[in-house]
């Protein structure tokens, strides 16, 4: 089974009001595949904090209302994503970032 590590830029696209961003349908496809048991996902432990920050900025800039941002965070938490320590991914993340910019 394929395994993916999802970062906040992908997870944020699962949520209203950010699910109309570029590549959002592909991001939602990953979530759907995980919920159907087709793939394995894990997320870094900082993901929830990072997505909360994205939602705060969206509310602050008027892209959504504060209540929508709070509801979106509750949705993300409700997924029960498998969380792993960020340190687990550091070396691989740096290698991939350098290789693919």
């Amino acid at each position: 089974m394929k395994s993916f590590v999802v970062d906040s830029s992908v997870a944020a696209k699962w949520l209203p009001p950010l699910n109309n961003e570029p590549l959002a349908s592909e991001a939602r496809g990953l979530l759907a595949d995980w919920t159907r048991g087709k793939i394995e996902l894990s997320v870094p432990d900082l993901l929830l904090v990072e997505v909360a920050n994205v939602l705060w900025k969206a509310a602050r800039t008027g892209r959504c209302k504060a209540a929508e941002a709070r509801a979106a965070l509750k949705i993300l938490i409700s997924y029960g994503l498998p969380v792993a320590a960020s340190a687990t991914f550091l070396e691989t993340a740096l290698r991939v970032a350098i290789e693919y910019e």
Side-chain angles (χ1 to χ4, degrees), residues 5-53:
V5 177
V6 174
D7 74 358
S8 58
S9 66
V10 173
K13 293 173 183 176
W14 295 339
L15 307 169
L18 304 171
N19 59 3
N20 60 355
E21 299 283 320
L23 301 174
S25 63
E26 290 83 352
R28 286 191 306 275
L30 274 177
L31 180 63
D33 286 349
W34 176 69
T35 59
R36 292 183 189 121
K38 292 182 175 183
I39 62 171
E40 294 178 354
L41 286 184
S42 58
V43 300
D45 51 9
L46 293 175
L47 181 126
L48 294 174
V49 174
E50 291 173 340
V51 173
N53 188 57

Side-chain angles (χ1 to χ4, degrees), residues 52-73:
N53 188 57
V54 169
L55 291 166
W56 166 74
K57 285 181 182 178
R60 185 174 144 234
T61 59
R63 292 176 60 201
C64 70
K65 296 178 182 177
E68 292 171 317
R70 287 190 293 272
L73 186 60

Side-chain angles (χ1 to χ4, degrees), residues 82-93:
V83 177
S86 295
T88 306
F89 308 114
L90 288 177
E91 290 182 24
T92 302

